[in-house]
Amino acid sequence: MAKEQTVEEPKISRAAKRAELKKNFIKNWQLYLFMLPALLFFLIFHYVPMYGVQIAFKDFYANLGITGSPWIGFEHFERFFNSYYFWRLLRNTILINLYQLLLFPLPIIFALMLHELKNQVFKRWSQTLTYAPHFISVVVLVGMLVAFLDPLTGIVNHIIVFFGGEAQPFLTSPGWFRHIYVWSGEWQNLGWGSIIYLAALAGVNPELIEAAKVDGATTMQRILYINIPTILPTIVILFILNIGRFMSTGFEKVLLMQNSLNSETSDIIQTFVYETGLIQGQYSFAAAVGLFDSVINIILLVTANYIARKTSENSLW
């Protein structure tokens, strides 16, 4: 009898859990209904297409389909690694993303500055002014860059010439490409990126702030010893997410800014995938290059998450 009870107990437990889940689903079905569009989006556009990743290991022919195309193993990967443009693509992709990663603290600093503002009118005005660029489309943003930085008609070069300098071909100079790309992106997303930090700062215990003021703590000391420790878990999580897309530079903006004169620094893996896959029709080769990029991102994400869990006890999982 004792053995029968020990055998039956897990079954009863699993049945109880299923009943509890069913009860919870029925009780909160409206919330699950709200989740359905997001789940369908990721299922249709992210998980179902993963079936096609296998063409990276095949010589894909559209008339044969994915399953009918012959397997060729790692031939596409070897072709990419041995190509003369591999190191240039890898170097440019890493340098641009490393440049962006170095500016990761800027939204944190901006959020801390906004949080300390006492004038609520000026604070709301500053937030609106810095949030607005986020809603400018990439095409419009690049159009603004072209208009402002044009060697003949751009206002930036007019200012340079006015102060005795020489007009600079910013958009056709390889040396300027990374700076323009990264800083224009930072201008566009600075305010928007600070929102989540401002939300985290709203959770700072006001009693701690008042106690620190009574003890004579300066504003900088309150920021260093109260505000930053409070939002540190949020900072760690967002930093891990940034590391997870380290190799994924938005190719649309690069493609719009790219030309034959600045290609030395503007050629990146994403634009190469677009050109070889969609323009030249080399679907298998482009899939292999894209898969290589994704694998690097996954390795970086897992590594960053592991280090964060061991050092700060804050991680994605």
Side-chain angles (χ1 to χ4, degrees):
M1 290 293 293
K3 290 184 178 179
E4 290 180 1
Q5 288 178 356
T6 55
V7 172
E8 291 296 331
E9 280 178 2
K11 294 183 179 180
I12 295 172
S13 177
R14 285 194 294 269
K17 288 180 180 179
R18 285 196 296 268
E20 184 66 25
L21 287 173
K22 185 178 179 180
K23 181 181 178 181
N24 182 61
F25 179 81
I26 294 172
K27 182 180 179 181
N28 303 297
W29 66 271
Q30 298 95 335
L31 298 177
Y32 290 104
L33 187 62
F34 275 115
M35 291 173 56
L36 185 61
L39 293 175
L40 289 176
F41 172 81
F42 282 101
L43 179 66
I44 295 171
F45 295 103
H46 290 270
Y47 286 95
V48 173
M50 289 176 67
Y51 170 76
V53 170
Q54 60 182 297
I55 69 172
F57 306 94
K58 291 188 171 188
D59 191 9
F60 176 73
Y61 294 96
N63 60 326
L64 297 177
I66 295 177
T67 55
S69 299
W71 292 93
I72 59 172
F74 292 92
E75 184 176 318
H76 294 305
F77 295 92
E78 293 175 1
R79 174 187 165 191
F80 178 58
F81 297 152
N82 296 325
S83 61
Y84 71 92
Y85 41 72
F86 170 72
W87 288 110
R88 185 170 79 171
L89 293 171
L90 188 62
R91 181 183 68 251
N92 290 339
T93 304
I94 291 175
L95 288 178
I96 288 176
N97 286 286
L98 187 60
Y99 197 159
Q100 292 182 129
L101 193 63
L102 290 174
L103 301 182
F104 175 79
L106 289 185
I108 303 171
I109 296 171
F110 183 68
L112 291 168
M113 292 170 62
L114 285 178
H115 182 69
E116 294 299 321
L117 286 177
K118 305 302 180 186
N119 190 323
Q120 293 301 314
V121 175
F122 180 70
K123 181 177 180 179
R124 288 194 293 269
W125 178 82
S126 300
Q127 287 176 300
T128 302
L129 191 65
T130 53
Y131 295 168
H134 174 77
F135 300 98
I136 299 175
S137 71
V138 176
V139 176
V140 173
L141 176 63
V142 175
M144 292 169 61
L145 292 175
V146 172
F148 293 156
L149 301 177
D150 187 272
L152 299 177
T153 61
I155 187 173
V156 174
N157 275 308
H158 278 306
I159 295 172
I160 293 174
V161 172
F162 178 79
F163 285 101
E166 295 184 359
Q168 298 292 322
F170 291 104
L171 295 178
T172 57
S173 174
W176 280 104
F177 177 83
R178 294 191 189 106
H179 301 295
I180 296 171
Y181 176 87
V182 173
W183 283 104
S184 62
E186 197 62 33
W187 168 79
Q188 186 178 23
N189 298 309
L190 178 64
W192 188 259
S194 66
I195 290 177
I196 192 166
Y197 298 113
L198 285 170
L201 285 167
V204 175
N205 190 343
E207 295 180 359
L208 289 176
I209 299 294
E210 293 301 324
K213 289 180 180 179
V214 171
D215 291 339
T218 63
T219 301
M220 184 57 67
Q221 288 173 329
R222 294 197 301 270
I223 291 173
L224 290 175
Y225 298 109
I226 298 176
N227 292 352
I228 291 180
T230 300
I231 65 173
L232 187 60
T234 303
I235 295 173
V236 172
I237 294 299
L238 291 180
F239 184 75
I240 294 172
L241 292 174
N242 271 269
I243 292 292
R245 55 176 181 265
F246 181 81
M247 298 289 288
S248 300
T249 305
F251 86 97
E252 300 94 343
K253 185 178 174 183
V254 175
L255 192 66
L256 291 168
M257 293 178 61
Q258 192 177 66
N259 55 63
S260 58
L261 297 176
N262 64 17
S263 60
E264 181 183 340
T265 55
S266 64
D267 276 337
I268 60 172
I269 292 176
Q270 286 74 31
T271 55
F272 180 75
V273 171
Y274 168 77
E275 291 171 359
T276 56
L278 294 181
I279 297 178
Q280 300 177 16
Q282 301 181 48
Y283 303 114
S284 293
F285 182 58
V289 178
L291 182 59
F292 163 76
D293 188 63
S294 299
V295 169
I296 297 297
N297 278 333
I298 292 172
I299 293 173
L300 290 174
L301 175 64
V302 172
T303 304
N305 187 77
Y306 175 79
I307 294 173
R309 188 173 66 248
K310 292 296 183 181
T311 56
S312 66
E313 298 182 355
N314 296 304
S315 60
L316 290 174
W317 66 84

